Amino acid sequence: MSGERRSGQKRVLARMGKFMSSSWHVPGDEAGNPSRRAMIAYNVVANVHANLVGGNFFTGLLIALQADDAFVGLVTMLTFGANLLQMFTPFLLERFTRRKPVLIAARILIHLVNVAFIGAIPYLPAAWQQRLVMLGFSVFLVNALGAFIGPGVAVWHIAHIPPQVRVQYFSMVTMLNGIFIALFNLLGSGVVDSFRSGGRELLGLTVLRVFAFVLAAVDIFLLTRIKELPAPKPAKPVRLRALLVEPWRHPDYLRSVLVILLWSFVANMPGSFYTVYLLRELGVSYSYIMAVNAFNVVVLTALTFAWRKVFLKHNWLKPLGVAVLAFAPHYVALSFVSRDLLFLYPVAIIWSFVCLSGINLAFSSVAFINIPQDNQTQYVGFFWTANFLGAFAAASLSRAFVTGFHTLRFTLLGVPFGEKQLLMLIVGFLMAGVGFAILRVAKTNIRKGLEH
């Protein structure tokens, strides 16, 4: 029996090894393999870093700075509003024959503002209102810089990932991101809660930012290890007018843009409001939230292989539509979470991991579905501008909703409801509509004999 067990373990290890290597190794392109390895490491480090200075920990910083719901919503609007500038990135980047130094320099500036300066704001000798103004300005600047480099980095990196390994590569990156984000979020939440119990939550958040600054240095180092391949020379110079007009001449690509626009509008409606509801109104600890999030590791490990097979068989959009439909009940369940029904929170979150493991994998490649070959930076910029346009509209609408109905209180099926819970319930029904719309786009692409 022990021999059979060892044999089974060897098969599992061999399968994992094949999965790992097939994600970055392209036979006959050994020169490009080191860049793909560095890209995998960069993706993990960058996402762990982003979670330590963002997400629930950033919401905690807002609460520590005495931000109300209106300011929380405003910060979300500033984030997405700044990213709308991504539309003009190609107009600037196409003027550089070598973009890598420019992109890395901008990334360094982002880290200095996002980690160092924002982390120092709570300690500045200024009134709390002035601190919030500085925070809002910093958030806008960081995201404006991110909008500038976003499409350039995407095109720089995608050049190293041939179409025949993209499903493997993105499934690998998605799984590793989930594992390391869950691990470091869990460790970080333990640090913050230990300080929070002594009334020093802000100091705990600062400790996380110090570690994030170290990760920022690793982030930059890994970027320097990724080779910049010669960009195809545009058939004609990028004009400002073309950034707004040219994508509309490619209806097949516009359907991909529609997918991200619909998804982004609905998925970003909750913003940080639900985290505020958990931390401030229900008094849930960071450790509880992150412990539940840690189940993402189990889900990703169990389902990444399955989602990978699904996308290899059916391509991207049809499985994405099904996954989005299945994702909708997650929001409905969250809307009923209360002090007496807190068990619904882990149930809803774990179910969301099942769906998001496929959704996130699909969206890693949607921007490149039916994309024209010339001036790809232009089209990627247009795609992500649509993403942030949807998110900005969602943030504006949800802020108006939460502030307008902040006194709303009623009971639904015996559960006390407020404005934040009602928002989540509405999002659940809207998400189902997004799923049906994506399936319609997939059906259209299939009928036209395109990739999807």
Side-chain angles (χ1 to χ4, degrees), residues 258 266 366 378 381:
L258 176 63
V266 177
V366 170
Q378 170 180 290

Side-chain angles (χ1 to χ4, degrees), residues 417-436:
F417 259 66
E419 76 285 357
K420 298 181 181 70
Q421 293 153 283
L422 179 59
L423 175 64
M424 299 299 284
L425 185 62
I426 294 171
V427 169
F429 288 102
L430 291 176
M431 188 61 72
V434 173
F436 284 117

Side-chain angles (χ1 to χ4, degrees), residues 134-171:
M134 287 187 285
L135 179 65
F137 175 78
S138 300
V139 167
F140 183 86
L141 177 60
V142 165
N143 284 278
L145 289 169
F148 169 70
I149 70 172
V153 171
V155 173
W156 166 21
H157 289 187
I158 199 68
H160 287 286
I161 313 171
Q164 66 267 27
V165 297
R166 285 183 186 173
V167 172
Q168 298 91 321
Y169 173 84
F170 287 122
S171 61

Side-chain angles (χ1 to χ4, degrees), residues 304-319:
T304 296
F305 286 109
W307 278 113
R308 174 174 166 174
K309 288 181 178 179
V310 169
F311 287 117
L312 283 171
K313 182 178 181 180
H314 298 285
N315 292 318
W316 297 108
L317 291 184
K318 186 176 180 180

Side-chain angles (χ1 to χ4, degrees), residues 363-387:
F363 274 113
S364 65
S365 196
V366 170
F368 301 97
I369 296 175
N370 302 327
I371 187 171
Q373 292 302 308
D374 190 43
N375 291 343
Q376 287 196 349
T377 307
Q378 170 180 290
Y379 296 101
V380 172
F382 185 84
F383 178 91
W384 289 113
T385 299
N387 171 51

